[in-house]
Amino acid sequence: MKPTTGRRPGRTRATAAALCLLAGALSAAAASGPQAAALTPPVSITADDLSTWQTNGIVWSMAASDDGVVYAGGTFSTLRPPGAAAGTSEQPAVNFAAFDAATGAPTDCSLSFTLSSGTATVRALALSPDGSTLYAGGRFGAVNGEGVSNIAAIDTATCTPRKDFKLAVSATVRALAVTGDTVYLGGDFNSVEGQNRNYFAAVTTDAALKPWTANADEVGRALEVTPDGRNVVLGGDFFKVNNTTSHALAVVNATTGALVRGYPGFIPNTSTVQDLTSDATQFYTANEGTGGGVFDGRIALDLTTFDQVWRDTCLGATQAILVHNGVLYSGSHAHDCASMGAFPDQPRKHLLAQSVDDPKLLPWFPDTNDGIGEPVGPRVMAQTGKGGHHYLWVGGEFTTVNSKPQQGLTRFADGPDTGAPWVPNVSVSTVAPDRVDVNWQTSFDTDDGTLTYRVYKDGASTPVYTTTGYSVFWDRPQLRWTDTDVAPGETHTYRISASDGTNTSAKSPAVTAVVASKAEAYPQRVLADGAQLYWRYDEGTSTFAADTTDGLDNGFLRNSPAYRQTPAAVAGPSTAIGFNGTDEYAYSNRSRSGVTTYSVETWIKTTTTRGGKIIGFGSNTMELSGKYDKHVYMLNNGRLTFGTSYNGGQTVSTTGAYNDGAWHHVVATQGADGMSLYVDGQRRAWNPLYTKNANYTGYWRVGGDNLATWPNRPSSNYFAGQIDETAVYPTVLSGSQVAAHYALRTGG
């Protein structure tokens, strides 16, 4: 939307040496097995932005020639080199520039699009099939001083306006499509050459108005001639075409303009079509909505039947699309793709990719910012090849690309891939005796989902274990390797690297484990009682909380909470984590739905008088949740409330306060016997009638989330204090189980 995977008996050192040799041989074999590829097919464009000249304003339109020239139009007045700050090293470029696709530098083609009064802008560019003429549309009255009326034809050989192409268009031209003999235009106009043409028109390549009529009732924004040349796809704001209902999208005859296929009710009235593109079998729409109930994603439609093949339902208005090698690339400001199994509402992502056969998001995530203007980030895309490489150009409102300053223009290519994956986050666990569990959060690579991980032990240069894992930025599952080539009391260190097949990250910082000789009582009981998520917060400096269960549902730690807080809640080598009460929290990697019977368990220590959420279930991860319940929060006075949603809020609360600076054990359960809240091994509150809760897809969150509308809402959504030993169970813990956990706090 617009901004609105054994325990071993003792062994001799000779046996140990033999096992080490065997492990080395096995790891070498693993390392020579299947590896990640630099790009995950069908993606064939890297996410590494290339050095490109910049504009000082918005790029609204682009066209690319077969010989490797990219033309850009918009609302800007200068160009500057890559890396140059705004206002430095600038050269004039009045709303238009031409670039070498392979170098990103401007060519010697210079045109000035001006207007005697107001701000000129170039909103559409299209090349003739033979590349000899560049047609430009927008709001302007002259090109290099040659008088025109919102549309012009440019001889590409000489980079001069064609004087034989004069056409009076009454208002802004926003879309162009060109065949060998026809120029189709769409925009804000109601007349062309003095004759009635509402928002769409067609003229000859010599500027003679054609009888083609596809009158609409609102603005035309996109045009696409079907590959067979028989039809034209229209996109825009309209509700009718030739007096027949067809909102935002229509297919008309290329010769007459007669409606071939209408789409009443196909796209919500709150949404429009901003861009169109096609391949040999399908055409695609880019959609933008404003307000509620909008459609902001992409649609694929069959070119034979004109029926929908698929649509995605990401929110965040799509502005530009193009197809290359079976992939639909798009520019948008997508912020919520949860409805199609991707990321929940969070900060915007501006460049995405999908297979033309499937709306599932592919692992291609370069990014821009929103930039200036509305702001929405990318506005237009173009592609061409030169010098043995294929280039994808993006223009728009953005002022950064991949977190570096870059305004208006950027470009990507089919290689080389130069970006290494993120350094893995690693944690070790010694809960069970005679073994070390090495856990790590899968990394992120902007243009590859499958990465190769290599585990290095005790400073060796040869990995002891190699594996692959798939991850994207919102789903970075935990992986685990168990080292059984250890003895009680030994100290070992581990490091891990991630590789996309071409680029390899640095090794992670060394993490150290002292091998246990016996099991730790408390965590063993938590695991034995069936925890499906168990965060112990023993990491040193990482951004994840390792899950001790086999479910491997690791937590993302947000905004740098305080690690290795001591003393911990439970006796042993473990540590706690501290949250600031302002913005620090953790959320689970895995989403869940249908959470009806459950128990949540954690330890807290605080002196806060501002309250805050301790643990809960919420629909979002990077933002405050829109749906939130199954939570325990502290009131300003230190009392605890356990709340769920079902036909309104259901709560049970303690009468005692627990903000006394001591460790307290908190367990909340819900099931057939209702809701129970335990503190320090005893049930402090209970309602047997509250057996149901809200059913939605969400994530477990610790340390903070929304508390709006909940009874006795504290001053803060976030908990200030220490938290330790967080566990979630798919069952109701009994009172005796809760008491047993509390009794084991001293390790006995």
Side-chain angles (χ1 to χ4, degrees):
M1 290 175 286
K2 284 186 179 180
T4 26
T5 104
R7 189 176 186 274
R8 284 185 310 106
R11 78 273 192 249
T12 65
R13 287 293 167 181
T15 302
L19 287 171
C20 285
L21 289 172
L22 176 60
L26 290 174
S27 66
S32 63
Q35 305 290 297
L39 298 175
T40 301
V43 170
S44 59
I45 301 290
T46 82
D48 306 320
D49 57 294
L50 302 174
S51 176
T52 308
W53 277 60
Q54 309 173 71
T55 65
N56 70 338
I58 302 172
V59 175
W60 289 100
S61 54
M62 287 196 294
S65 69
D66 292 340
D67 59 356
V69 177
V70 175
Y71 303 95
T75 312
F76 52 86
S77 59
T78 65
L79 300 178
R80 65 184 185 272
T88 65
S89 304
E90 293 187 334
Q91 65 183 49
V94 183
N95 302 314
F96 177 88
F99 301 88
D100 185 307
T103 68
T107 70
D108 58 2
C109 178
S110 178
L111 296 168
S112 177
F113 288 76
T114 57
L115 190 65
S116 60
S117 178
T119 302
T121 184
V122 178
R123 292 301 182 100
L125 291 170
L127 282 158
S128 60
D130 63 5
S132 65
T133 303
L134 174 69
Y135 295 91
R139 182 172 182 262
F140 48 84
V143 182
N144 283 7
E146 182 73 28
V148 293
S149 179
N150 299 319
I151 190 168
I154 310 300
D155 184 297
T156 57
T158 62
C159 189
T160 58
R162 275 177 43 189
K163 295 184 179 181
D164 62 342
F165 189 93
K166 296 287 186 177
L167 190 69
V169 183
S170 64
T172 304
V173 174
R174 298 180 180 273
L176 291 168
V178 186
T179 68
D181 61 6
T182 304
V183 180
Y184 298 94
L185 50 153
D188 301 359
F189 53 84
N190 291 118
S191 71
V192 177
E193 287 294 275
Q195 297 189 42
N196 181 62
R197 293 292 188 272
N198 293 326
Y199 306 109
F200 293 100
V203 301
T204 69
T205 53
D206 294 326
L209 183 64
K210 285 193 163 189
W212 184 89
T213 303
N215 284 332
D217 60 344
E218 292 289 347
V219 173
R221 298 187 180 275
L223 287 159
E224 182 77 4
V225 180
T226 59
D228 61 9
R230 297 172 58 186
N231 298 294
V232 180
V233 186
L234 312 179
D237 300 0
F238 52 83
F239 292 86
K240 291 185 176 182
V241 175
N242 292 337
N243 294 316
T244 301
T245 299
S246 187
H247 174 54
L249 180 67
V251 181
V252 300
N253 183 275
T255 302
T256 68
L259 189 65
V260 174
R261 174 68 181 267
Y263 292 91
F266 184 69
I267 293 172
N269 287 349
T270 51
S271 298
T272 64
V273 170
Q274 297 289 307
D275 195 15
L276 294 162
T277 195
S278 64
D279 54 23
T281 61
Q282 297 178 164
F283 71 94
Y284 309 87
T285 72
N287 304 273
E288 173 184 276
T290 303
V294 302
F295 175 65
D296 275 347
R298 280 74 62 191
I299 307 175
L301 300 101
D302 186 90
L303 274 168
T304 301
T305 64
F306 303 127
D307 292 338
Q308 177 179 297
V309 178
W310 57 258
R311 71 167 65 195
D312 77 37
T313 52
C314 285
L315 292 174
T318 307
Q319 304 293 319
I321 49 177
L322 62 74
V323 176
H324 175 63
N325 280 359
V327 174
L328 180 69
Y329 296 91
S330 60
S332 69
H333 56 267
H335 59 88
D336 187 351
C337 296
S339 62
M340 50 183 287
F343 54 90
D345 199 9
Q346 60 181 273
R348 296 171 167 184
K349 297 295 179 181
H350 299 86
L351 294 167
L352 301 175
Q354 297 155 286
S355 167
V356 297
D357 301 320
D358 189 331
K360 180 181 179 181
L361 297 182
L362 296 171
W364 186 79
F365 301 109
D367 204 9
T368 72
N369 65 353
D370 288 345
I372 61 177
E374 284 192 9
V376 297
R379 285 288 190 176
V380 63
M381 291 178 157
Q383 62 178 327
T384 190
K386 188 174 183 181
H389 283 289
H390 192 83
Y391 296 92
L392 184 158
W393 282 66
V394 181
E397 300 175 336
F398 52 84
T399 58
T400 68
V401 177
N402 288 341
S403 300
K404 304 184 298 291
Q406 175 70 26
Q407 185 171 1
L409 284 168
T410 191
R411 64 196 178 101
F412 307 90
D414 53 3
D417 179 22
T418 60
W422 290 359
V423 177
N425 294 316
V426 184
S427 178
V428 290
S429 175
T430 57
V431 168
D434 299 339
R435 60 187 283 173
V436 175
D437 289 333
V438 182
N439 302 287
W440 68 98
Q441 185 182 44
T442 48
S443 297
F444 173 62
D445 186 82
T446 54
D447 48 26
D448 189 27
T450 302
L451 302 175
T452 298
Y453 299 91
R454 297 180 176 89
V455 181
Y456 299 85
K457 178 181 178 182
D458 296 336
S461 58
T462 301
V464 292
Y465 180 70
T466 300
T467 191
T468 60
Y470 186 88
S471 55
V472 285
F473 70 84
W474 71 90
D475 184 11
R476 296 173 57 196
Q478 179 179 330
L479 297 179
R480 174 181 295 161
W481 172 67
T482 299
D483 186 3
T484 58
D485 186 25
V486 296
E490 290 182 345
T491 298
H492 296 283
T493 61
Y494 303 88
R495 303 178 71 184
I496 301 178
S497 67
S499 174
D500 64 10
T502 298
N503 310 285
T504 301
S505 75
K507 293 176 183 176
S508 62
V511 292
T512 301
V514 178
V515 183
S517 58
K518 63 179 181 179
E520 292 183 56
Y522 183 90
Q524 284 295 320
R525 183 60 188 261
V526 170
L527 296 172
D529 283 342
Q532 65 178 189
L533 177 156
Y534 183 21
W535 300 339
R536 305 201 68 200
Y537 308 112
D538 294 339
E539 292 70 33
T541 54
S542 71
T543 59
F544 92 120
D547 184 4
T548 306
T549 78
D550 290 337
L552 302 180
D553 188 4
N554 58 288
F556 287 74
L557 299 174
R558 294 278 291 156
N559 300 317
S560 303
Y563 303 98
R564 293 200 172 279
Q565 301 289 289
T566 57
V570 175
S574 185
T575 61
I577 196 164
F579 295 102
N580 63 6
T582 302
D583 62 357
E584 296 172 353
Y585 65 99
Y587 67 87
S588 62
N589 179 73
R590 185 175 303 161
S591 65
R592 289 177 168 82
S593 60
V595 178
T596 55
T597 300
Y598 60 93
S599 301
V600 294
E601 175 181 40
T602 197
W603 291 78
I604 62 169
K605 180 181 180 182
T606 186
T607 58
T608 187
T609 58
R610 291 174 48 79
K613 186 173 294 192
I614 297 166
I615 185 170
F617 193 72
S619 58
N620 292 356
T621 56
M622 303 282 280
E623 307 280 355
L624 289 175
S625 295
K627 297 179 180 178
Y628 40 97
D629 79 329
K630 295 177 274 293
H631 52 208
V632 178
Y633 58 95
M634 179 171 281
L635 311 186
N636 288 347
N637 60 12
R639 296 181 180 181
L640 299 176
T641 292
F642 172 32
T644 64
S645 292
Y646 184 75
N647 293 331
Q650 307 169 144
T651 61
V652 296
S653 301
T654 67
T655 57
Y658 300 97
N659 57 346
D660 56 2
W663 279 111
H664 294 286
H665 180 231
V666 179
V667 178
T669 72
Q670 187 178 30
D673 64 343
M675 289 170 56
S676 296
L677 178 58
Y678 298 82
V679 183
D680 295 339
Q682 297 183 32
R683 186 156 69 182
R684 310 289 181 174
W686 175 47
N687 190 313
L689 302 179
Y690 294 162
T691 60
K692 297 181 180 180
N693 56 69
N695 183 10
Y696 57 93
T697 299
Y699 304 79
W700 291 109
R701 292 182 52 143
V702 174
D705 200 2
N706 209 340
L707 282 168
T709 75
W710 280 86
N712 301 308
R713 181 184 181 183
S715 299
S716 177
N717 288 320
Y718 296 89
F719 178 77
Q722 296 178 4
I723 292 181
D724 202 5
E725 305 290 335
T726 299
V728 178
Y729 305 77
T731 58
V732 171
L733 291 178
S734 67
S736 61
Q737 287 175 306
V738 173
H741 290 199
Y742 179 65
L744 288 171
R745 66 194 182 280
T746 61

